[in-house]
Amino acid sequence: MKNRLISTLATGIVKWRWAVVIAFTVLLAGALTGVGKFKIAASADTLLVKDNKLYIQTQVAQQTFSPDEFILLAYEPREHDVFSEQTFSDLSQLQQEIKQIPRVESVTSILTVPLIDSAEALTGQTEVSELTWQQQHYSAKKMKALVSGHPIFTDLLINRDNTATSIQIVFKPNPELVDIEQQITGIQAHLLSRELSAEEQEQLEALKAQAEPLREQLTQTRKEEIKQLNEITQPINQRANTYLGGSYVVGQHLIDIIKSDLVIFGLAIALVVALLLAVLFRRVKWVVFPLLSCGLSVTLTIGALGWADLRATVISANFVALQIILTLAVMIHMLGSYRYIAREKPQTDQHNRVELMLKDKLSPCFFASLTTSVGFAALLFSGLEPVISFGLMMLIAMVISQLVSLILFPALLALLPAGSEADDYAFIRTILHRSRQLTLNKPGVTIVGTGLVFVALSVGITRLNVENSFIDYFADDTQVHRELAYIDQEFGGTTALDIILDVTDKPDDPSLIISADSVNQLQLVQQAVTAFEATGSVTSLANFTELATQLNNGRPLTEYELTSIYYLLNEKVVNQLVGAYFSEQDQRLRVAIRVQDTTEGLDREQFLNNLKQDLATAGIHSEQYQLTSLFVLYQDILSRLFDSQITTLGMVYVALGLVFLLIFRSVKVALIALLPNVLTTLAILGVIGWAGIPLDIMTITIAAIAMGIAVDDTLHFVHSYMAGLKAGSGQAVPAAEEAFKHSGLAILMTTTVIAVGFSLFGFSDFLPSVYFGLLTALAMIMALVADLTLLPALLNKLVASQSDPAEPQGDKANV
């Protein structure tokens, strides 16, 4: 039944070849209309788990305290002092030009903030707005005395070492977008206590659809603003170093990297693949037709993703290269069979050759693609949204790749005239012959030897860790790394962590904003946070008390004085700088912290655990506060990785075991086929551990994807081996000869193409892509070694007849 179906399909594809070509031409036309809809999403949110408790709490807190959207422009003089007329002149020039950018609402620097040096300002006897450099033109010496060590402005507008200053550029919000996002957050907040109703879910989707075009427009506007800022700072860069910092600056860098990886590495891999195909097959047609099919496959996929509104993120930026490689891998196996038939039966015409090729490879290629899809499908159960999205994108890509490689490619072959095929290289035949001899003559030694190597590598799993930094995602010599690292080290950190405190002790006098006991509690919290080495900038109402105490000759403020200075300064400066610290309506306090990601030995999980313990020691109970913002969300992602890895690999192992059982109808053969791939995945995870590479949202996908790809070669080898075993009356020699001769060469070629293709990611500026490419290439090489040594040795030892004679030495040329 199965053979009859395959024969019918093979005959039908050849017979209806023109209809197949026309059908794919129509599909291509439809896909091209969707290519323009394909989008890239590259904000920090694309790396987070959405709609969980921590994410929603962060959104609610941001809505409550409304910190402004801003960019920090750091200014580091090279040959003059920060407190000098040259610096003041440069800052003035920069501010004037930056204000011309249409969306800029305010520009704040040490020249524009009120610099209070007298307690009289606290009593209202002095107009605070007059106490700025712009109004007073303080001398450099006076400015240093006023700004250096300032409780509020240090780490915001001046670094602690007084070697650099900064300008904060605040942008006008889009009122329509703000309103929609507030409604979205309001609905999502219900998820903290219950499930959304169908009506609420429908309303949420409608609001997201309304917000989408506004967000896209904002992204484009931000891109232009960054370009303008770089142009404005260009003249200043002759005497000072400038650095841009801010969440959407990073987002724009990510978009640029994704576009670069999509285009540059897609083209680079296509060129390298073309070269490899030319070298391996030595025929122009075997370069043109596979690449044509790959290009069509990628175009159809991008069109489908565009219509489905599935967007590329930093996790899925390499899907173009992945699809080229995976589509090509199937076609190389098809070509291997075609060339074997052409050499063995040169008298057959082209149509018969293609039919024989399809009868031979249609079933194993289909199941090979199916097993690869299983690897990607396992990512859907990772529990991590960006990984799930990547898995879904690749499943769509695999379906399209199957259609192109198993239907269109043979139809195109049927249009070609029959021709002669070049012989395989002698050194390749030698490698395959020696591997076959080893596994036939010394299967036990081969099993033990390769097994020990893979087990030794797997031990590195015990060294796996998930500690990582967003800064470390970028190569050291990239602009984004330099900017992030500088802002992190010199301006109080890059990763935001907010502590949201519930005010439990309300003041008796309604004119007061906060009671003395609440201030004391807030100061205890701030002291606990600042005790950590990795803590950078920490700002809250406690900073106001510190400033006022300094101005008040060291005497602590009364509740009434604190209320006065809070309203006085908050209205003028502070809300622009770091957002609100107190919500009178919700009776909640905010402690704004920035953690320095570049701190050596930073353990984020330990940081949060120690912080919670210290807060408990200070008498702050867990129900009195929430930890929110990017630091917590990112740590939440990292904490899920180990569980996700176990779940993902477990799903892959079980699914592939079932697929092998379905194909080979033997538990023993299924387990033997599965074992080399299990060892390969464990070994590559071990290499990650031995190399000290952190497990993150990209490296977590390597094991499952590598197994999904590598298992294709295993399936082809075992399929050929079982066919040879049946034809050779259960004897190992003819079975091994058939497997190595029929599939060994294709396995070598596919591994070479895949490994070289993936290794090109080593040139990316995005380090997760570098690790992904190099480690996947290494995994493929490991899988090749396992498939040509351990796998045949196990088959010879446990499946073939034990009464085989030794392999004759004279059959080397038959490989």
Side-chain angles (χ1 to χ4, degrees):
M1 179 69 179
K2 175 184 173 183
N3 291 337
R4 193 182 313 123
L5 176 61
I6 292 174
S7 179
T8 301
L9 287 173
T11 303
I13 290 172
V14 173
K15 180 179 180 181
W16 299 101
R17 55 195 177 277
W18 280 110
V20 169
V21 172
I22 292 171
F24 273 91
T25 302
V26 173
L27 287 175
L28 176 62
L32 289 174
T33 62
V35 169
K37 301 177 182 292
F38 180 69
K39 297 182 179 67
I40 294 173
S43 66
D45 283 358
T46 61
L47 302 175
L48 304 176
V49 178
K50 304 293 184 61
D51 296 338
N52 71 345
K53 183 178 180 180
L54 289 174
Y55 182 82
I56 295 172
Q57 286 176 344
T58 295
Q59 296 300 101
V60 171
Q62 287 181 348
Q63 181 174 303
T64 299
F65 294 98
S66 304
D68 292 314
E69 173 196 342
F70 70 91
I71 283 180
L72 197 67
L73 172 59
Y75 173 98
E76 180 189 35
R78 287 199 288 267
E79 297 181 359
H80 58 276
D81 194 85
V82 165
F83 298 105
S84 65
E85 293 302 324
Q86 181 64 68
T87 297
F88 302 156
S89 173
D90 286 346
L91 293 180
S92 297
Q93 177 184 336
L94 288 170
Q95 288 179 183
Q96 290 175 7
E97 295 186 36
I98 291 170
K99 286 179 180 178
Q100 303 308 310
I101 299 175
R103 207 167 63 92
V104 170
E105 181 175 57
S106 65
V107 182
T108 305
S109 74
I110 58 174
L111 307 185
T112 63
V113 293
L115 300 171
I116 303 171
D117 63 349
S118 170
E120 293 180 356
L122 305 182
T123 63
Q125 298 177 18
T126 303
E127 180 60 42
V128 174
S129 61
E130 298 293 324
L131 302 178
T132 66
W133 180 91
Q134 285 183 329
Q135 297 294 326
Q136 303 292 332
H137 287 277
Y138 297 123
S139 67
K141 183 178 179 180
K142 179 72 170 177
M143 283 292 287
K144 184 173 183 179
L146 291 172
V147 174
S148 181
H150 196 285
I152 296 177
F153 304 144
T154 299
D155 285 333
L156 294 172
L157 300 179
I158 188 75
N159 68 345
R160 298 183 186 185
D161 295 332
N162 293 331
T163 58
T165 184
S166 69
I167 298 173
Q168 190 190 50
I169 307 159
V170 177
F171 295 92
K172 300 172 187 175
N174 182 325
E176 183 181 359
L177 181 58
V178 169
D179 179 62
I180 293 173
E181 289 181 335
Q182 286 178 344
Q183 293 182 61
I184 290 173
T185 301
I187 295 174
Q188 288 178 326
H190 295 312
L191 289 169
L192 295 174
S193 57
R194 61 173 175 82
E195 294 293 324
L196 297 182
S197 66
E199 182 181 353
E200 287 172 328
Q201 191 64 50
E202 184 178 342
Q203 185 181 1
L204 186 62
E205 294 303 318
L207 288 169
K208 289 180 178 179
Q210 290 179 43
E212 187 56 37
L214 298 175
R215 288 171 177 162
E216 289 178 11
Q217 183 181 3
L218 181 59
T219 297
Q220 186 60 37
T221 302
R222 287 169 169 174
K223 179 180 179 180
E224 294 299 321
E225 288 167 350
I226 293 172
K227 181 181 178 182
Q228 287 176 278
L229 288 171
N230 286 326
E231 291 173 352
I232 290 171
T233 59
Q234 196 64 38
I236 303 296
N237 289 336
Q238 298 173 7
R239 53 186 172 272
N241 301 320
T242 57
Y243 307 88
L244 284 179
S247 59
Y248 81 73
V249 176
V250 177
Q252 190 56 52
H253 282 299
L254 286 175
I255 290 175
D256 293 340
I257 287 173
I258 290 173
K259 288 181 177 178
S260 174
D261 284 0
L262 281 171
V263 177
I264 294 177
F265 288 107
L267 292 175
I269 287 174
L271 291 174
V272 170
V273 164
L275 179 62
L276 288 173
L277 290 175
V279 170
L280 293 172
F281 295 135
R282 289 166 284 174
R283 293 288 187 273
V284 173
K285 60 184 177 182
W286 300 144
V287 175
V288 173
F289 278 87
L291 287 182
L292 182 66
S293 300
C294 287
L296 177 64
S297 181
V298 168
T299 304
L300 290 174
T301 300
I302 292 176
L305 296 177
W307 281 111
D309 197 26
L310 285 172
R311 305 180 180 195
T313 68
V314 292
I315 312 302
S316 54
N318 48 24
F319 85 90
V320 169
L322 261 175
Q323 188 171 19
I324 290 174
I325 290 169
L326 293 173
T327 306
L328 193 65
V330 176
M331 288 188 287
I332 287 177
H333 281 286
M334 303 275 276
L335 280 177
S337 177
Y338 175 89
R339 295 173 73 242
Y340 176 80
I341 292 167
R343 287 196 297 263
E344 294 291 316
K345 301 177 180 180
Q347 74 283 358
T348 55
D349 62 22
Q350 183 70 356
H351 291 175
N352 285 332
R353 290 181 183 181
V354 175
E355 282 192 34
L356 290 172
M357 176 195 75
L358 287 170
K359 290 175 182 178
D360 178 39
K361 285 296 180 182
L362 194 59
S363 176
C365 282
F366 169 76
F367 282 109
S369 296
L370 179 63
T371 55
T372 301
S373 300
V374 167
F376 289 116
L379 300 179
L380 301 179
F381 301 91
S382 68
L384 303 175
E385 183 169 324
V387 177
I388 293 171
S389 176
F390 175 48
L392 183 59
M393 288 176 66
M394 288 310 302
L395 279 178
I396 294 173
M398 284 307 303
V399 171
I400 293 172
S401 289
Q402 278 189 329
L403 293 174
V404 170
S405 57
L406 300 182
I407 298 177
L408 177 63
F409 182 64
L412 291 174
L413 285 188
L415 300 176
L416 297 176
S420 61
E421 293 299 323
D423 290 331
D424 299 321
Y425 292 103
F427 77 91
I428 295 179
R429 294 200 304 268
T430 300
I431 292 172
L432 295 175
H433 171 73
R434 290 179 177 174
S435 178
R436 186 182 66 175
Q437 263 193 322
L438 177 66
T439 57
L440 280 170
N441 296 333
K442 298 180 179 179
V445 173
T446 305
I447 292 169
V448 173
T450 54
L452 287 175
V453 171
F454 278 91
V455 170
L457 290 173
S458 301
V459 173
I461 290 176
T462 59
R463 298 169 59 89
L464 282 174
N465 74 88
V466 297
E467 189 54 48
N468 209 340
S469 164
F470 194 68
I471 293 176
D472 293 335
Y473 281 170
F474 305 96
D476 292 348
D477 58 349
T478 59
Q479 179 184 354
V480 63
H481 185 278
R482 289 193 297 270
E483 290 179 336
L484 284 173
Y486 188 82
I487 298 295
D488 185 74
Q489 294 163 6
E490 300 296 333
F491 284 90
T494 50
T495 306
L497 167 63
D498 285 354
I499 302 177
I500 310 299
L501 282 166
D502 292 326
V503 177
T504 56
D505 183 22
K506 300 178 183 179
D508 296 329
D509 188 338
S511 66
L512 298 177
I513 63 166
I514 191 169
S515 69
D517 288 342
S518 294
V519 172
N520 292 334
Q521 190 179 57
L522 184 62
Q523 288 174 330
L524 287 175
V525 171
Q526 192 145 331
Q527 288 170 8
V529 173
T530 54
F532 292 95
E533 181 186 359
T535 300
S537 170
V538 183
T539 317
S540 71
L541 279 182
N543 295 73
F544 296 98
T545 66
E546 183 180 348
L547 172 62
T549 301
Q550 287 181 8
L551 300 176
N552 209 24
N553 297 318
R555 182 179 64 82
L557 270 69
T558 66
E559 295 165 311
Y560 294 93
E561 289 170 330
L562 175 62
T563 299
S564 297
I565 192 172
Y566 172 74
Y567 283 124
L568 182 67
L569 287 184
N570 188 65
E571 180 182 359
K572 300 292 182 182
V573 178
V574 179
N575 197 45
Q576 291 180 357
L577 283 175
V578 288
Y581 297 109
F582 178 64
S583 172
E584 294 183 70
Q585 179 179 353
D586 299 289
Q587 283 296 296
R588 307 185 89 188
L589 292 162
R590 170 175 172 252
V591 181
I593 307 157
R594 278 183 287 139
V595 180
Q596 293 180 309
D597 277 338
T598 54
T599 303
E600 187 174 351
L602 173 60
D603 185 325
R604 285 162 179 75
E605 183 177 9
Q606 190 65 44
F607 181 97
L608 289 176
N609 289 336
N610 290 343
L611 176 59
K612 292 174 183 177
Q613 291 175 7
D614 290 352
L615 291 176
T617 303
I620 314 296
H621 302 294
S622 59
E623 62 271 13
Q624 292 179 254
Y625 69 89
Q626 292 175 357
L627 300 178
T628 69
S629 212
L630 185 58
F631 186 90
V632 178
L633 295 174
Y634 188 55
Q635 177 56 35
D636 180 51
I637 283 280
L638 297 180
S639 67
R640 295 168 183 256
L641 290 179
F642 272 123
D643 291 340
S644 176
Q645 183 71 92
I646 293 171
T647 301
T648 301
L649 283 180
M651 293 288 298
V652 173
Y653 291 156
V654 172
L656 291 182
L658 292 175
V659 171
F660 281 145
L661 185 61
L662 174 67
I663 297 171
F664 301 118
R665 310 293 176 88
S666 166
V667 173
K668 181 193 292 186
V669 175
L671 291 175
I672 288 173
L674 189 62
L675 181 60
N677 295 282
V678 170
L679 290 178
T680 296
T681 56
L682 295 179
I684 198 62
L685 287 174
V687 169
I688 293 173
W690 285 120
I693 298 171
L695 196 65
D696 60 24
I697 49 180
M698 286 197 69
T699 53
I700 193 179
T701 65
I702 291 170
I705 292 173
M707 185 168 179
I709 300 173
V711 79
D712 294 2
D713 290 337
T714 302
L715 192 150
H716 282 285
F717 190 93
V718 176
H719 184 271
S720 297
Y721 188 94
M722 298 305 290
L725 199 65
K726 182 178 181 180
S729 303
Q731 300 297 306
V733 171
E737 181 179 344
E738 176 69 12
F740 275 92
K741 181 169 61 176
H742 210 76
S743 297
L745 179 64
I747 290 174
L748 268 175
M749 289 183 172
T750 53
T751 300
T752 300
V753 171
I754 291 174
V756 172
F758 274 115
S759 65
L760 292 180
F761 281 104
F763 296 98
S764 175
D765 288 332
F766 192 56
L767 292 185
S769 290
V770 173
Y771 294 144
F772 179 85
L774 295 181
L775 289 170
T776 304
L778 179 60
M780 298 308 301
I781 294 171
M782 288 180 177
L784 172 68
V785 172
D787 283 338
L788 295 184
T789 56
L790 180 61
L791 179 61
L794 287 169
L795 292 170
N796 293 337
K797 186 78 173 174
L798 302 175
V799 177
S801 172
Q802 298 300 307
S803 60
D804 272 1
E807 182 191 14
Q809 297 296 311
D811 72 338
K812 177 178 178 179
N814 294 331
V815 178

